[in-house]
Amino acid sequence: MSCVGHQAAGTWRHPSSQASRYNDLEYWTQLAMELERGCFDTLFIADVVGVYDVYRGSAEGALHDAAQVPVNDPFGAISAMAAVTQHVGFGITAAVTFEHPYLLARRLSTLDHLTKGRVAWNVVSSYLDSAARNIGMEKQIAHDARYDLAEEYMEVVYKLWEGSWEEGAVLRDKERGVFTDASKVHPIKHEGQYFKVPGFHLTEPSPQRTPVIFQAGASTAGRAFAARHAESMFILATSPESARALTDTIRAEVAAAGREPDALKIFTLLTIITGPDDEAARRKHEEYLSYASPTGMLALYGGWTGLDFASLDPDAPLEAVENDSLRTTLESLVADGQQWTVREVIRQRSIGGLGPVLVGGPQTIADALERWVDEGGVDGFNLAYAVTPASTTDFIDFVVPELRQRGRVQTAYRPGTLREKLLGDAGGQTRASHPASHWRQHYVGQESVADASGPAASWA
Amino acid sequence: MSCVGHQAAGTWRHPSSQASRYNDLEYWTQLAMELERGCFDTLFIADVVGVYDVYRGSAEGALHDAAQVPVNDPFGAISAMAAVTQHVGFGITAAVTFEHPYLLARRLSTLDHLTKGRVAWNVVSSYLDSAARNIGMEKQIAHDARYDLAEEYMEVVYKLWEGSWEEGAVLRDKERGVFTDASKVHPIKHEGQYFKVPGFHLTEPSPQRTPVIFQAGASTAGRAFAARHAESMFILATSPESARALTDTIRAEVAAAGREPDALKIFTLLTIITGPDDEAARRKHEEYLSYASPTGMLALYGGWTGLDFASLDPDAPLEAVENDSLRTTLESLVADGQQWTVREVIRQRSIGGLGPVLVGGPQTIADALERWVDEGGVDGFNLAYAVTPASTTDFIDFVVPELRQRGRVQTAYRPGTLREKLLGDAGGQTRASHPASHWRQHYVGQESVADASGPAASWA
């Protein structure tokens, strides 16, 4: 995320942390090169348009610890990172509730061109109330209506990306003097409940046309959306066992939507703290926790859960917390049967966000990751940092070699677009089973831009 | 402009033209480095959200010759260009009619951070009808209402950029563990006719806070907007004499708006074709014209003038054109008293857009530019290319040395932000006379984020 504190609260204060350099282009270009050194598939950039203002009823705590605020536009640094890398993909978060599809489609196509087909779009349909208020809505659109709107939004952008410019429309023919054959460009004539877009896409077809579609919503409506549209999905699970229940459900829903079992890759959120061995990793975790910020943690969890923890006595044991929602939420964060005070939970969970924290040397971490894949049924991991870029560098230096030795991660990139790399397909465009593909040939034979032309004199 | 044919129609076919590489990041990074070699102030990226569809009632002509379509998002390549340069500015076009100010403010602040204060925003309030239709409006908002909306839009973004985060709000204090002092961050509580934005800016103050404001509208309402807000204005004039009338008017309007005479820089549109001497330049112009495209030219002029030239007989002399609007428009393009046929005008004016074309060696061009400055009263030039990047390279190789010898252009960049470079001011933020500055101290002493916070337990 283009901010200081993403999933960890307070660790920006660690001496090695570069988090507060998020405004510096060099931070991003170095991070992208580092990810490519580790053969990471994608740099995923989360986003919120709004602030976490549940804790104590204001954004003070979030501001104090830079907990996802200030936050920059996730599109800003992409082309700089693309210029210094060749393979790593860029997953960019953008909501369907705020920007018009005619404009967002162009924004994403432009980056898919400039990155030579390395863009993924994390489709977000839910947002903070504070975001909705600042763009002039009193509250968020009701949850289910948001997914109706999202469904129509996807139809519009698919029509623009896949249907409006036929394959072969762009000739770039310097000899004949034809750049685009207008008989192969089609107005999409979209008239729906939310949007009306009569024209054609402003951008010529990019390497992937439709960027790889990411999704992260875990609600029933969110999962239904993912089952239809997503090619990568981010989940949240506390253990391989609970991940298995979720991945089985998701894969069944993908099949029910008429798509292949491998059409959707599932990535689970983890924070990994590692080092040369278990003891070094444990010490590093403890050292990181000495920078943990209760204020930032409570701001983040307030936003995520909608619960204000401000009224709690820090030194009360968990079982003494009278408010049921607060107590069960805190218990779920440390579910290990031990005795904890509120303060201890808050400190311990200042790192890792809502996801598990794995602490250990290369073999311990590799063993754990294998269980998440083999028993949990996930395809991979959405790794958050405890300290940036140290968490990334440590993972690459300590864990990647072990995983390579076990044959569990790639040692070089596949050629082609991000979609080809992620799904292993040839071509680089959406699969036949994906709803975008429906529109690819849809307008062929229908009205083209050339059909609408009036007569003209000959200028030959 | 992030397209193939901007002001010249058909010259993308020239063997040396790189115009059709507009999707390639390297084209942009090389162009930016080239501009910096010539000490250009700014790369100005025009934009249209829509297509030129007046000629023959369709976009066929525009597509055929890539006349401003396809067109990419002007924001896409900025950070890549910033990463390979240190000084050149980036003028980005964005409309106030399409994207919400809360979001556009963040997008521009992000790039102002990543470029270290090198961003200008070309504020556009008018657009093509085809653009309005594709984002769900039947027609454009009426012209004057657009400027009302633009005025309120500016108020919102100024409040966000200048007022909501006080100087000193961001501490980045690793020792004390305070990133932002929330008592210095203020909700803007904007409630207007068009927008309602209660919160504070999502981005911390960037080097310039408000990006340098560009404007290009020449209507009475457009000029009034520029007189109040613009720090650079792009004009269109056919001669130094006609420029003088316009620059005098604009400077009087700037003074009437309470701003200093040098608070607004005026740049006039020119296309320059040059070489080692006049004869070489003349031959180059002729050679370029052999690639000129009537179709693309008619598409562009159709969009710019709203007139469809399709009915004309190419071989008619100008005076035989019966339609008054068409005849006077064509006459104005070549106003030199010679005999022209329609075909000849169209060919001749396929290069240069609506602006003058200067053809000559270094001294001829430098003499002409001096007249535009000394007699026309302009501060500088908005140079369009005939062939890209050859027009830029030629200007730097042939004309810049001559202008440097005459002491007319900079030989090195001033330090500081784009605003400091352009206006010569210290500091880098808007002048006291600029309406943005009104908001800089406006919220100090008023409600802050911290004031809204409820009680909390001590976590010390």
Side-chain angles (χ1 to χ4, degrees), chain B residues 17-30:
Chain B
S17 173
Q18 302 290 309
S20 61
R21 287 181 59 219
Y22 74 108
N23 280 326
D24 188 341
L25 209 39
E26 216 185 4
Y27 166 78
W28 293 101
T29 51
Q30 286 174 346

Side-chain angles (χ1 to χ4, degrees), chain B residues 18 34-35 52 59-60 112-113 164 172 184 194 203 218 239 263 332 380 388 392 437 451:
Chain B
Q18 302 290 309
E34 183 68 357
L35 291 171
Y52 289 72
E60 181 176 1
D112 200 50
H113 278 298
S164 70
R172 275 183 165 68
K184 294 187 173 175
Y194 299 95
T203 307
S239 67
S332 73
T388 185
T392 306
S437 304
D451 296 332

Side-chain angles (χ1 to χ4, degrees), chain B residues 7 237-238 269-273 285 289 301 333 348-360 365 372 386:
Chain B
Q7 300 279 316
T238 54
L269 176 66
L270 291 181
T271 298
I272 290 172
I273 297 173
H285 188 209
L289 286 176
Y301 280 77
L333 293 178
Q348 189 71 17
R349 295 301 310 181
S350 288
I351 288 175
L354 291 166
V357 180
L358 305 188
V359 180
I365 298 295
W372 280 89

Side-chain angles (χ1 to χ4, degrees), chain A residues 255-338:
Chain A
R259 298 171 66 202
E260 303 83 7
D262 67 345
L264 171 68
K265 301 293 182 190
I266 304 175
F267 299 94
T268 197
L269 176 67
L270 290 181
T271 297
I272 291 172
I273 297 173
T274 188
D277 54 42
D278 286 357
E279 177 55 22
R282 195 197 58 72
R283 282 200 310 268
K284 191 177 290 181
H285 187 210
E286 273 309 307
E287 195 230 346
Y288 285 179
L289 286 176
S290 73
Y291 294 95
S293 160
T295 305
M297 189 280 189
L298 293 167
L300 289 172
Y301 281 76
W304 292 328
T305 64
L307 300 171
D308 184 355
F309 296 81
S311 63
L312 296 184
D313 170 9
D315 297 308
L318 274 204
E319 61 265 29
V321 172
E322 287 181 16
N323 180 307
D324 284 346
S325 307
L326 298 181
R327 191 186 57 255
T328 38
T329 301
L330 289 170
E331 282 170 352
S332 73
L333 294 177
V334 288
D336 64 353
Q338 287 183 47

